[in-house]
Amino acid sequence: MTTSTTFVIVGGGLAGAKAAEALRDNDFDGHVVLFAAEDHLPYERPPLSKEYLAGKKTLDDFTVDPSAWYRDHHVELQLGTEVSAIDPKAHTVSLPDDTTVAYDKLLLATGSDPRRLPVPGADAAGVHYLRTIDDAAALNSALTEGSSLAIVGAGWIGLEVAAGGRERGVNVTVVEMAEVPLMGALGREVGEVFAKLHRDHGVDLRLGASVQEITTANGWATGLRLGDGSTVDADAVLVAVGAAPNTALAERAGLAMGDGGVLVDPSLRTSDPDIFAVGDIAAAEHPLFGTRIRTEHWANALKQPAVAAATMLGKKAEYAELPYFFTDQYDLGMEYAGYAPKYSRVVFRGDVDGREFVTFWLDDDNRVLAGMNVNVWDVLDDVKAIIRSRTPVDPDRLADPQQALGELTPS
């Protein structure tokens, strides 16, 4: 690649920053332009619902690179700039001021936005969503000791904020339509563990409940009215009902779409040979599972850009990492690896009530699809090896803490 070559990155989160890093690490000496919609330097998002709300980290602590890095590595960083359109034939992106920027290769890392709640009162003052540092700062100011917070949604964001709120002396009510928290992510068996965790810490958990309205007074949120007619009084409301991938640019550009995102091959190339996609929007063919996987997890934003950058530079690369995510809630820390949207059985290993255990999700053939370690920190590599082996295991041996996990996979 020559210095006359221009690579454009659209998206100023972790994935965008890591893509710029990867291009320079691969000795690309061409022009790199990174467009970021926010006015902040690219930063990681998981701390927004974890350490930031807990007062353990500031924005500087989870900013990916300081401004000097972009200057020193000759990356043109355009903050506060949203790309409005892509013209694949002309190889240009358009900006709101009607100017265009030409590209040789284009990487889309546009992430996702919180899903809105389609009920009356959803736009009232005091209704919070959590995606940006500005969102987190606003929510942080509302979490004062003795105040009350109503959370709609018992997914990762909702539960992490609930934990942070309780640890700050906030009275927290969580309303969830499913029968257990995290039903879609972990299933009923493990969802029940998280239900007990939060109830043990004083959260008023309303399951199997729908929200009909965010109640208001003088334009300010005062709580929730539920489907059964009951109400929840609150000083503030957090809506945490999932995220919608920002695929509008890709759709308008005519890229192939499916599985909730932009279709990409294992090298993260889209249907256009000069356009690539990573992170939340990428529905990627996975070499191990033989299916497309699109997940909104930090690990993809961290690791996919290196594969995309290599492919953009003409190298052979594919993304074969196992899906991975983690959470910290009260005294529970966990890591999850694998992919188990459908499973036949769950095997627990260890002390579930004491919240020190490992969980496995198995298919009909007793192959391990996914594993989760809770407050057990020396098993993740073995769990990943079992998943990657794609061989049946004996569930009884899997459940036996005296049986070394490393001995359950073929040599």
Side-chain angles (χ1 to χ4, degrees), residues 29-281:
D29 61 357
H31 189 200
V32 176
V33 185
L34 172 56
F35 291 105
E38 293 182 63
D39 291 321
H40 303 283
L41 292 170
Y43 58 88
E44 300 188 44
R45 298 190 190 278
L48 297 180
S49 57
K50 297 181 175 76
E51 298 94 337
Y52 179 81
L53 289 183
K56 297 177 181 178
K57 286 187 177 181
T58 65
L59 177 58
D60 285 346
D61 295 322
F62 48 92
T63 293
V64 183
D65 293 303
S67 57
W69 184 91
Y70 299 94
R71 182 191 66 237
D72 295 345
H73 290 82
H74 306 289
V75 173
E76 182 182 339
L77 179 59
Q78 297 273 6
L79 297 177
T81 306
E82 289 196 57
V83 169
S84 55
I86 302 166
D87 186 336
K89 290 183 178 179
H91 276 62
T92 60
V93 297
S94 300
L95 305 181
D97 63 1
D98 293 329
T99 60
T100 60
V101 175
Y103 67 83
D104 293 282
K105 304 286 185 184
L106 173 66
L107 177 66
L108 300 178
T110 47
S112 55
D113 281 328
R115 294 188 185 277
R116 316 310 277 190
L117 195 64
V119 300
D123 295 323
V127 177
H128 298 266
Y129 293 82
L130 185 53
R131 177 64 183 175
T132 69
I133 184 63
D134 296 332
D135 294 338
L139 180 61
N140 188 51
S141 65
L143 299 181
T144 57
E145 185 173 359
S147 67
S148 55
L149 174 68
I151 300 174
V152 184
W156 297 116
I157 296 293
L159 294 185
E160 287 173 357
V161 173
R166 289 300 299 136
E167 291 178 336
R168 291 170 62 167
V170 176
N171 298 305
V172 178
T173 301
V174 176
V175 177
E176 167 60 49
M177 291 187 66
E179 296 177 21
V180 296
L182 301 166
M183 184 75 164
L186 302 178
R188 179 184 304 279
E189 298 88 346
V190 180
E192 289 173 349
V193 173
F194 282 86
K196 185 177 187 300
L197 170 72
H198 282 269
R199 284 177 169 144
D200 285 350
H201 285 85
V203 171
D204 181 359
L205 189 58
R206 314 276 186 97
L207 299 172
S210 62
V211 174
Q212 297 299 307
E213 178 186 6
I214 296 177
T215 56
T216 61
N218 300 316
W220 196 272
T222 59
L224 307 173
R225 181 172 60 82
L226 306 186
D228 62 2
S230 64
T231 58
V232 175
D233 294 329
D235 299 309
V237 174
L238 170 68
V239 176
V241 292
N246 291 322
T247 58
L249 267 182
E251 291 179 54
R252 292 198 302 267
L255 301 181
M257 311 294 295
D259 296 306
V262 182
L263 298 181
V264 295
D265 65 17
S267 73
L268 305 175
R269 192 190 304 269
T270 72
S271 56
D272 184 300
D274 293 327
I275 302 179
F276 302 78
V278 295
D280 292 359
I281 66 170

Side-chain angles (χ1 to χ4, degrees), residues 309-324:
T311 311
M312 293 166 79
L313 293 169
K315 301 178 181 180
K316 286 190 175 182
E318 66 176 23
Y319 189 71
E321 293 283 339
L322 295 177
Y324 168 90

Side-chain angles (χ1 to χ4, degrees), residues 287-311:
L288 180 66
F289 293 102
T291 187
R292 288 190 183 276
I293 297 178
R294 188 190 70 81
T295 55
E296 295 153 7
H297 299 317
W298 162 87
N300 280 357
L302 178 71
K303 296 184 176 182
Q304 282 185 342
V307 172
T311 311

